[in-house]
């Protein structure tokens, strides 16, 4: 079955995949079969099943096997839309491996070396880069629903005139929402722009009812649903970092006691530091930017004290006491760095890259770290 799933690809693509993976996953086998039949496709599978590569590899193979259109404005043939901006950046990064691999395999087999370009159009894209995409669109354009709408309502829509395939990621996150309804209108506007409607490939986590999500993906055409069997495995722990909450300060706390009540936060901080140091990579989620900064600072202080045997001066408050974001000062960020909306785009990207590469043991984040849902490199 694995060989049959790859038979439709070119020798260079087959060679790269066989060298990089043992065998296709169930989601990939089903997706490639459905894509080969020419219908719109909805792939429903949990994280780690290779959904994104399942959608992209067929498109990469087609782009590598056919020359680009003579008309430069029609060069963009694959449009990837993600409701998560951070995930879109991650996808662009993860495409480098198959692009490089297929290129190298083509050279090894004596085949023409493909030149596939990738671009990102989001709210963070500088104006000069947006103009470049509009005038010289890449083969693959990665964007968000909002940026797609802005392109379709401006002269930049001409850069989408050659789109043949739309990959819509995280369908479950938008189906049934106002944002999803807005995106559905944009997809219909895109089809009106094209010589023929683009094929839609939707990627979704496990959802119910799957037929409704398929109808959202492509309401006017038949959708092939690929949903390989998968079981859920929960690993849930409720952890209290002290044996007795009534003895936080070393002696039982009696009802009506006067004075400052002891805090559990020093114990929480020590426990989190233990977990971080016991793993290769860790994400810690906090409820606010200020809490993320404070907890991140304290984790670095604990790591410094453990490594040097020195005790830093008590110039900070417990982590649950709020302070202005960025105001906490202490040990250098050897163990953790903060990730939230007040951190610059460039620094957020660096934090994400360092975490996935194993250079940074931990990130203390708010919901700004959307990437946390799709990071296989995190313990």
């Amino acid at each position: 079955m694995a060989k049959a799933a790859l038979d439709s690809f070119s020798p260079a693509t087959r060679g790269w995949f066989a060298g990089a993976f043992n065998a296709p996953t169930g989601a990939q086998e089903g997706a490639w079969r459905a894509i080969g039949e020419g219908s719109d496709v909805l792939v429903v599978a949990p994280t780690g099943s290779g959904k994104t590569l399942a959608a992209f590899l067929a498109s990469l193979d087609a782009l590598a096997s056919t020359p680009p259109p003579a008309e430069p404005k029609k060069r963009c043939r694959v449009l990837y839309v993600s409701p998560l901006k951070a995930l879109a950046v991650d996808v662009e990064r993860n495409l480098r491996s198959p692009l490089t691999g297929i290129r190298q395999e083509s050279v090894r087999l004596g085949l023409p070396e493909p030149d596939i370009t990738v671009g990102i159009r989001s709210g963070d894209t500088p104006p000069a880069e947006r103009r470049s995409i509009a005038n010289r669109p890449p083969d693959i354009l990665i964007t968000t629903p909002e940026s797609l709408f802005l392109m379709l309502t401006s002269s930049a829509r001409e850069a989408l005139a050659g789109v043949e395939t739309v990959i819509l990621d995280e369908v479950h996150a938008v189906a049934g929402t106002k944002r999803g309804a807005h995106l559905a209108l944009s997809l219909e506007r895109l089809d009106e722009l094209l010589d023929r409607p683009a094929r839609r490939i939707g990627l979704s986590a496990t959802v119910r009812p799957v037929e409704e999500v398929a109808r959202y993906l492509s309401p006017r055409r038949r959708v092939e649903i690929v949903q390989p069997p998968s079981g859920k495995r929960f690993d849930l722990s409720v952890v209290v970092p002290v044996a007795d909450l009534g003895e936080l300060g070393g002696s039982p706390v009696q009802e009506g006691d006067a004075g400052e009540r002891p805090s559990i936060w020093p114990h929480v901080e020590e426990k989190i530091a233990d977990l971080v140091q016991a793993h290769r990579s860790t994400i810690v989620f906090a409820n606010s930017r200020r809490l993320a900064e404070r907890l991140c600072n304290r984790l670095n202080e604990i790591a410094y004290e453990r490594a040097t045997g020195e005790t830093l001066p008590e110039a900070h408050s417990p982590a649950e006491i709020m302070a202005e974001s960025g105001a906490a000062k202490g040990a250098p960020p050897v163990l953790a760095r903060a990730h939230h909306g007040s951190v610059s785009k460039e620094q957020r990207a660096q934090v994400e890259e360092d975490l996935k590469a194993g250079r940074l043991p931990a990130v203390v984040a708010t919901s700004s770290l959307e990437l946390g849902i799709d990071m296989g490199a995190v313990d």
Side-chain angles (χ1 to χ4, degrees):
M1 179 65 179
K3 184 177 184 300
L6 294 168
D7 282 347
S8 61
F9 294 131
S10 67
T13 303
R14 288 201 306 269
W16 170 79
F17 188 90
F21 303 97
N22 293 327
T25 65
Q28 291 169 342
E29 289 181 349
W32 293 336
R33 173 188 53 77
I35 290 171
E37 294 172 356
S39 63
D40 290 352
V41 181
L42 174 63
V43 184
V44 180
T47 297
S49 56
K51 297 191 298 294
T52 306
L53 184 60
F56 265 115
L57 196 61
S59 296
L60 291 176
D61 184 66
L63 292 173
S65 305
T66 57
E71 173 57 50
K73 284 291 183 72
K74 290 195 174 184
R75 177 153 186 165
C76 181
R77 286 158 286 169
V78 179
L79 179 67
Y80 170 90
V81 184
S82 170
L84 305 180
K85 184 169 58 178
L87 185 59
V89 174
D90 198 43
V91 165
E92 188 272 338
R93 186 184 301 125
N94 290 339
L95 276 177
R96 296 172 192 166
S97 178
L99 284 172
T100 302
I102 293 172
R103 188 179 300 116
Q104 292 175 344
E105 192 68 16
S106 298
V107 172
R108 189 184 70 82
L109 295 172
L111 302 172
E113 184 176 351
D115 179 24
I116 301 174
T117 56
V118 181
I120 298 180
R121 171 65 158 83
S122 70
D124 291 329
T125 305
E129 193 171 334
R130 295 181 190 179
R131 289 192 294 269
S132 176
I133 290 173
N135 296 325
R136 294 180 300 278
D139 296 293
I140 301 173
L141 180 62
I142 298 170
T143 190
T144 61
E146 291 73 23
S147 290
L148 174 61
F149 169 76
L150 292 175
M151 289 187 71
L152 289 169
T153 53
S154 70
S155 59
R157 61 180 172 271
E158 296 178 11
L160 303 173
V163 170
E164 299 171 354
T165 300
V166 175
I167 300 173
L168 181 56
D169 207 349
E170 303 290 324
V171 180
H172 60 278
V174 293
T177 69
K178 291 181 179 179
R179 192 181 184 204
H182 193 265
L183 174 58
L185 289 175
S186 291
L187 293 176
E188 294 299 321
R189 295 183 73 162
L190 173 65
D191 279 350
E192 290 295 320
L193 178 68
L194 306 175
D195 295 334
R196 62 177 183 178
R199 166 190 285 176
R200 299 180 188 179
I201 302 174
L203 309 177
S204 173
T206 304
V207 289
R208 292 188 182 92
V210 67
E211 292 78 12
E212 281 297 304
V213 178
R215 192 166 68 88
Y216 166 79
L217 173 68
S218 187
R220 297 192 289 178
R221 298 191 297 272
R222 187 183 73 86
V223 178
E224 179 75 16
I225 298 174
V226 177
Q227 190 175 20
S230 63
K232 290 185 177 181
R233 184 176 63 87
F234 293 93
D235 184 4
L236 175 66
S237 300
V238 178
V239 178
V240 180
V242 293
D244 187 343
L245 292 173
E247 299 182 359
L248 290 176
S251 59
V253 178
Q254 303 295 330
E255 184 175 354
D257 280 356
E260 183 179 348
R261 297 178 66 86
S263 172
I264 195 174
W265 271 95
H267 303 278
V268 172
E269 294 158 356
E270 292 284 347
K271 179 63 176 178
I272 293 175
D274 291 340
L275 291 170
V276 170
Q277 293 185 327
H279 295 84
R280 174 183 178 273
S281 50
T282 304
I283 300 177
V284 181
F285 286 100
N287 289 340
S288 68
R289 300 174 183 182
R290 291 176 290 180
L291 176 55
E293 288 278 357
R294 257 345 206 345
L295 181 56
C296 179
N297 180 62
R298 183 60 191 137
L299 292 177
N300 289 319
E301 290 178 343
I302 292 172
Y304 178 85
E305 291 170 350
R306 290 178 178 180
T308 64
E310 301 175 9
T311 301
L312 290 169
E314 284 290 333
H316 60 82
S317 301
E320 86 273 27
I321 298 180
M322 302 302 164
E324 290 301 321
S325 178
K329 301 182 183 300
V334 294
L335 190 69
R337 291 188 64 185
H339 187 296
H340 53 70
S342 294
V343 177
S344 70
K345 169 199 167 189
E346 292 76 18
Q347 288 185 349
R348 292 199 307 269
Q350 187 62 54
V351 168
E352 294 163 9
E353 185 66 30
D354 287 348
L355 182 69
K356 296 195 72 172
R359 295 185 294 267
L360 181 66
V363 170
V364 183
T366 62
S367 58
S368 65
L369 189 63
E370 297 165 336
L371 211 60
I373 66 170
D374 192 30
M375 294 189 67
V378 176
D379 295 344

PDB file of all heavy atoms in Angstrom, residues 226-242:
ATOM      1  N   VAL A 226     -11.228  12.067   3.977  1.00  0.00           N
ATOM      2  CA  VAL A 226     -10.183  11.121   4.378  1.00  0.00           C
ATOM      3  C   VAL A 226     -10.069  11.189   5.898  1.00  0.00           C
ATOM      4  O   VAL A 226      -9.645  12.200   6.450  1.00  0.00           O
ATOM      5  CB  VAL A 226      -8.832  11.466   3.712  1.00  0.00           C
ATOM      6  CG1 VAL A 226      -7.744  10.514   4.212  1.00  0.00           C
ATOM      7  CG2 VAL A 226      -8.946  11.423   2.203  1.00  0.00           C
ATOM      8  N   GLN A 227     -10.475  10.119   6.563  1.00  0.00           N
ATOM      9  CA  GLN A 227     -10.489  10.103   8.026  1.00  0.00           C
ATOM     10  C   GLN A 227     -10.037   8.726   8.512  1.00  0.00           C
ATOM     11  O   GLN A 227     -10.848   7.873   8.869  1.00  0.00           O
ATOM     12  CB  GLN A 227     -11.876  10.438   8.572  1.00  0.00           C
ATOM     13  CG  GLN A 227     -11.916  10.673  10.078  1.00  0.00           C
ATOM     14  CD  GLN A 227     -13.284  11.127  10.550  1.00  0.00           C
ATOM     15  OE1 GLN A 227     -14.291  10.928   9.870  1.00  0.00           O
ATOM     16  NE2 GLN A 227     -13.337  11.748  11.718  1.00  0.00           N
ATOM     17  N   PRO A 228      -8.724   8.495   8.522  1.00  0.00           N
ATOM     18  CA  PRO A 228      -8.238   7.182   8.965  1.00  0.00           C
ATOM     19  C   PRO A 228      -8.552   6.959  10.439  1.00  0.00           C
ATOM     20  O   PRO A 228      -8.633   7.914  11.219  1.00  0.00           O
ATOM     21  CB  PRO A 228      -6.724   7.266   8.725  1.00  0.00           C
ATOM     22  CG  PRO A 228      -6.418   8.733   8.728  1.00  0.00           C
ATOM     23  CD  PRO A 228      -7.630   9.406   8.167  1.00  0.00           C
ATOM     24  N   PRO A 229      -8.735   5.702  10.845  1.00  0.00           N
ATOM     25  CA  PRO A 229      -9.034   5.413  12.263  1.00  0.00           C
ATOM     26  C   PRO A 229      -7.908   5.912  13.172  1.00  0.00           C
ATOM     27  O   PRO A 229      -6.728   5.780  12.854  1.00  0.00           O
ATOM     28  CB  PRO A 229      -9.121   3.882  12.300  1.00  0.00           C
ATOM     29  CG  PRO A 229      -9.368   3.471  10.883  1.00  0.00           C
ATOM     30  CD  PRO A 229      -8.681   4.483  10.025  1.00  0.00           C
ATOM     31  N   SER A 230      -8.293   6.506  14.281  1.00  0.00           N
ATOM     32  CA  SER A 230      -7.300   6.978  15.252  1.00  0.00           C
ATOM     33  C   SER A 230      -7.947   7.006  16.628  1.00  0.00           C
ATOM     34  O   SER A 230      -9.084   7.439  16.777  1.00  0.00           O
ATOM     35  CB  SER A 230      -6.777   8.376  14.886  1.00  0.00           C
ATOM     36  OG  SER A 230      -7.813   9.328  14.921  1.00  0.00           O
ATOM     37  N   GLY A 231      -7.201   6.536  17.609  1.00  0.00           N
ATOM     38  CA  GLY A 231      -7.705   6.542  18.974  1.00  0.00           C
ATOM     39  C   GLY A 231      -7.099   7.674  19.781  1.00  0.00           C
ATOM     40  O   GLY A 231      -5.947   8.050  19.570  1.00  0.00           O
ATOM     41  N   LYS A 232      -7.866   8.232  20.692  1.00  0.00           N
ATOM     42  CA  LYS A 232      -7.362   9.308  21.548  1.00  0.00           C
ATOM     43  C   LYS A 232      -6.681   8.718  22.776  1.00  0.00           C
ATOM     44  O   LYS A 232      -7.187   7.781  23.391  1.00  0.00           O
ATOM     45  CB  LYS A 232      -8.503  10.233  21.988  1.00  0.00           C
ATOM     46  CG  LYS A 232      -9.076  11.076  20.873  1.00  0.00           C
ATOM     47  CD  LYS A 232     -10.108  12.047  21.414  1.00  0.00           C
ATOM     48  CE  LYS A 232     -10.650  12.956  20.318  1.00  0.00           C
ATOM     49  NZ  LYS A 232     -11.649  13.919  20.834  1.00  0.00           N
ATOM     50  N   ARG A 233      -5.521   9.258  23.100  1.00  0.00           N
ATOM     51  CA  ARG A 233      -4.805   8.824  24.295  1.00  0.00           C
ATOM     52  C   ARG A 233      -4.558  10.043  25.171  1.00  0.00           C
ATOM     53  O   ARG A 233      -3.874  10.971  24.783  1.00  0.00           O
ATOM     54  CB  ARG A 233      -3.480   8.170  23.912  1.00  0.00           C
ATOM     55  CG  ARG A 233      -2.720   7.608  25.102  1.00  0.00           C
ATOM     56  CD  ARG A 233      -1.464   6.877  24.633  1.00  0.00           C
ATOM     57  NE  ARG A 233      -0.543   7.795  23.976  1.00  0.00           N
ATOM     58  CZ  ARG A 233       0.381   8.515  24.623  1.00  0.00           C
ATOM     59  NH1 ARG A 233       0.464   8.446  25.944  1.00  0.00           N
ATOM     60  NH2 ARG A 233       1.196   9.310  23.962  1.00  0.00           N
ATOM     61  N   PHE A 234      -5.167  10.039  26.343  1.00  0.00           N
ATOM     62  CA  PHE A 234      -5.045  11.178  27.250  1.00  0.00           C
ATOM     63  C   PHE A 234      -3.950  10.913  28.281  1.00  0.00           C
ATOM     64  O   PHE A 234      -3.833   9.806  28.811  1.00  0.00           O
ATOM     65  CB  PHE A 234      -6.374  11.428  27.988  1.00  0.00           C
ATOM     66  CG  PHE A 234      -7.476  11.897  27.083  1.00  0.00           C
ATOM     67  CD1 PHE A 234      -8.351  10.995  26.510  1.00  0.00           C
ATOM     68  CD2 PHE A 234      -7.620  13.237  26.794  1.00  0.00           C
ATOM     69  CE1 PHE A 234      -9.370  11.422  25.673  1.00  0.00           C
ATOM     70  CE2 PHE A 234      -8.638  13.674  25.953  1.00  0.00           C
ATOM     71  CZ  PHE A 234      -9.513  12.765  25.392  1.00  0.00           C
ATOM     72  N   ASP A 235      -3.138  11.920  28.529  1.00  0.00           N
ATOM     73  CA  ASP A 235      -2.120  11.849  29.577  1.00  0.00           C
ATOM     74  C   ASP A 235      -2.304  13.089  30.446  1.00  0.00           C
ATOM     75  O   ASP A 235      -1.714  14.133  30.198  1.00  0.00           O
ATOM     76  CB  ASP A 235      -0.721  11.802  28.951  1.00  0.00           C
ATOM     77  CG  ASP A 235       0.364  11.627  30.002  1.00  0.00           C
ATOM     78  OD1 ASP A 235       0.018  11.471  31.184  1.00  0.00           O
ATOM     79  OD2 ASP A 235       1.552  11.662  29.645  1.00  0.00           O
ATOM     80  N   LEU A 236      -3.141  12.970  31.438  1.00  0.00           N
ATOM     81  CA  LEU A 236      -3.555  14.116  32.254  1.00  0.00           C
ATOM     82  C   LEU A 236      -3.160  13.888  33.708  1.00  0.00           C
ATOM     83  O   LEU A 236      -3.445  12.831  34.271  1.00  0.00           O
ATOM     84  CB  LEU A 236      -5.072  14.317  32.153  1.00  0.00           C
ATOM     85  CG  LEU A 236      -5.687  15.400  33.041  1.00  0.00           C
ATOM     86  CD1 LEU A 236      -5.196  16.776  32.620  1.00  0.00           C
ATOM     87  CD2 LEU A 236      -7.204  15.331  32.973  1.00  0.00           C
ATOM     88  N   SER A 237      -2.491  14.873  34.295  1.00  0.00           N
ATOM     89  CA  SER A 237      -2.110  14.793  35.702  1.00  0.00           C
ATOM     90  C   SER A 237      -2.554  16.061  36.426  1.00  0.00           C
ATOM     91  O   SER A 237      -2.480  17.153  35.865  1.00  0.00           O
ATOM     92  CB  SER A 237      -0.590  14.644  35.846  1.00  0.00           C
ATOM     93  OG  SER A 237      -0.129  13.471  35.209  1.00  0.00           O
ATOM     94  N   VAL A 238      -3.020  15.902  37.645  1.00  0.00           N
ATOM     95  CA  VAL A 238      -3.300  17.038  38.526  1.00  0.00           C
ATOM     96  C   VAL A 238      -2.223  17.012  39.608  1.00  0.00           C
ATOM     97  O   VAL A 238      -2.149  16.072  40.395  1.00  0.00           O
ATOM     98  CB  VAL A 238      -4.701  16.945  39.150  1.00  0.00           C
ATOM     99  CG1 VAL A 238      -4.925  18.119  40.092  1.00  0.00           C
ATOM    100  CG2 VAL A 238      -5.764  16.912  38.065  1.00  0.00           C
ATOM    101  N   VAL A 239      -1.367  18.029  39.612  1.00  0.00           N
ATOM    102  CA  VAL A 239      -0.183  18.020  40.465  1.00  0.00           C
ATOM    103  C   VAL A 239      -0.265  19.143  41.494  1.00  0.00           C
ATOM    104  O   VAL A 239      -0.526  20.295  41.142  1.00  0.00           O
ATOM    105  CB  VAL A 239       1.101  18.189  39.622  1.00  0.00           C
ATOM    106  CG1 VAL A 239       2.337  18.220  40.521  1.00  0.00           C
ATOM    107  CG2 VAL A 239       1.208  17.058  38.602  1.00  0.00           C
ATOM    108  N   VAL A 240      -0.049  18.800  42.755  1.00  0.00           N
ATOM    109  CA  VAL A 240       0.082  19.788  43.829  1.00  0.00           C
ATOM    110  C   VAL A 240       1.533  19.739  44.291  1.00  0.00           C
ATOM    111  O   VAL A 240       2.014  18.668  44.677  1.00  0.00           O
ATOM    112  CB  VAL A 240      -0.869  19.483  45.007  1.00  0.00           C
ATOM    113  CG1 VAL A 240      -0.702  20.531  46.090  1.00  0.00           C
ATOM    114  CG2 VAL A 240      -2.306  19.442  44.522  1.00  0.00           C
ATOM    115  N   PRO A 241       2.262  20.851  44.217  1.00  0.00           N
ATOM    116  CA  PRO A 241       3.702  20.807  44.476  1.00  0.00           C
ATOM    117  C   PRO A 241       4.102  20.655  45.940  1.00  0.00           C
ATOM    118  O   PRO A 241       5.280  20.577  46.247  1.00  0.00           O
ATOM    119  CB  PRO A 241       4.191  22.146  43.922  1.00  0.00           C
ATOM    120  CG  PRO A 241       3.018  23.046  44.019  1.00  0.00           C
ATOM    121  CD  PRO A 241       1.814  22.183  43.783  1.00  0.00           C
ATOM    122  N   VAL A 242       3.135  20.631  46.856  1.00  0.00           N
ATOM    123  CA  VAL A 242       3.441  20.413  48.272  1.00  0.00           C
ATOM    124  C   VAL A 242       2.533  19.313  48.805  1.00  0.00           C
ATOM    125  O   VAL A 242       1.443  19.077  48.287  1.00  0.00           O
ATOM    126  CB  VAL A 242       3.242  21.704  49.103  1.00  0.00           C
ATOM    127  CG1 VAL A 242       4.259  22.765  48.723  1.00  0.00           C
ATOM    128  CG2 VAL A 242       1.821  22.236  48.958  1.00  0.00           C
TER     129      VAL A 242
END
